[in-house]
Amino acid sequence: MWKYILHYPPIYPQLSQNLKKNQKFALEAVKYDGLLLEEVPKELQNNYNVVYEAVSENGAALQFASLELRDNFDIVMCAVQSRGKGAENTLYYASDRLKNDKEIVCQALESFAVAYSFASWELRSDFEFAITALSLDNYYRGRKEIKYYMPDGIVEKLGWLLDD
C-alpha cells in the first residue's frame, strides 16, 4: 500500500488523517499537484519543504501555506516564478511585507500584468517603480492592461507611454 500511495499521489485526499500527517506522502502529493497543499494538515502547511514543493509545482498553492510561510522570501519568490492554474493571482496571497518587495513584485510582473494590482499601494504609487514595471519584457503585451491597476496620478505622469 505504501508504494501505491507514493506512486499515485492523486489518492492523497482520500487518505485517513493519520496517513495525511506523513510528510513523505504529503511531499509526493504536492510534487504531483501543488494545490493538494489544501488537503495537507495545518502543521505540514507550515513545513518549509512541503510548501516549497507545492509552490514549485503551482504558485497558487501559496494560498494554502501558513501565514508564516507566506512571509518567507524564498517561498514567495518560488511561487511567483511558478506557473499553474491560478498562478496569476499568486502575489495576492503573499504577506503585505513581500507585496512591498520590489524584487518579488517585479518577478511576478514578468509573468502577469495583473500582479501590479496586488503590489502594495506604496509600490503602485511609486513613479520610478511604474517605469520599471513597464520596462519588463512582458509589457509589450501588458501595457494596456497594467494602466488599469495604476493610481490615476501615475497614469497621468506616464501619459503617452500608456496610450493605445
Side-chain angles (χ1 to χ4, degrees):
M1 180 169 165
W2 292 86
K3 283 184 181 182
Y4 179 73
I5 293 168
L6 288 175
H7 296 304
Y8 192 68
I11 199 167
Y12 188 82
Q14 284 77 44
L15 296 178
S16 70
Q17 288 299 83
N18 201 31
L19 285 176
K20 282 184 179 181
K21 290 180 181 178
N22 183 302
Q23 183 177 341
K24 189 174 183 181
F25 292 158
L27 276 169
E28 290 303 314
V30 300
K31 282 181 187 178
Y32 172 81
D33 180 355
L35 296 179
L36 285 174
L37 186 62
E38 180 179 20
E39 302 289 335
V40 171
K42 295 285 184 211
E43 61 268 16
L44 291 176
Q45 290 176 343
N46 193 42
N47 179 289
Y48 181 91
N49 294 328
V50 171
V51 172
Y52 192 87
E53 289 297 337
V55 300
S56 293
E57 198 284 319
N58 186 327
L62 186 64
Q63 67 189 297
F64 305 117
S66 67
L67 293 177
E68 179 182 335
L69 290 179
R70 290 184 199 187
D71 190 46
N72 179 288
F73 181 90
D74 294 330
I75 293 283
V76 174
M77 181 59 82
C78 180
V80 299
Q81 290 173 337
S82 176
R83 299 285 186 269
K85 185 178 180 181
E88 66 276 6
N89 298 320
T90 299
L91 189 61
Y92 175 82
Y93 301 107
S95 68
D96 289 343
R97 178 181 73 86
L98 293 178
K99 287 178 185 177
N100 196 45
D101 184 285
K102 288 180 183 179
E103 187 177 354
I104 293 275
V105 176
C106 283
Q107 184 63 53
L109 285 169
E110 286 188 17
S111 300
F112 303 104
V114 71
Y116 198 92
S117 70
F118 303 129
S120 69
W121 180 256
E122 182 180 338
L123 274 185
R124 289 178 27 223
S125 301
D126 182 321
F127 181 75
E128 287 182 26
F129 182 73
I131 296 292
T132 299
L134 288 170
S135 72
L136 295 172
D137 290 342
N138 187 45
Y139 283 88
Y140 75 92
R141 303 188 307 269
R143 221 172 257 209
K144 290 181 182 177
E145 184 180 348
I146 197 171
K147 72 180 178 184
Y148 298 112
Y149 307 120
M150 292 180 166
D152 290 340
I154 296 293
V155 172
E156 289 169 14
K157 284 182 181 178
L158 291 171
W160 64 271
L161 284 174
L162 296 174
D163 288 341
D164 295 339

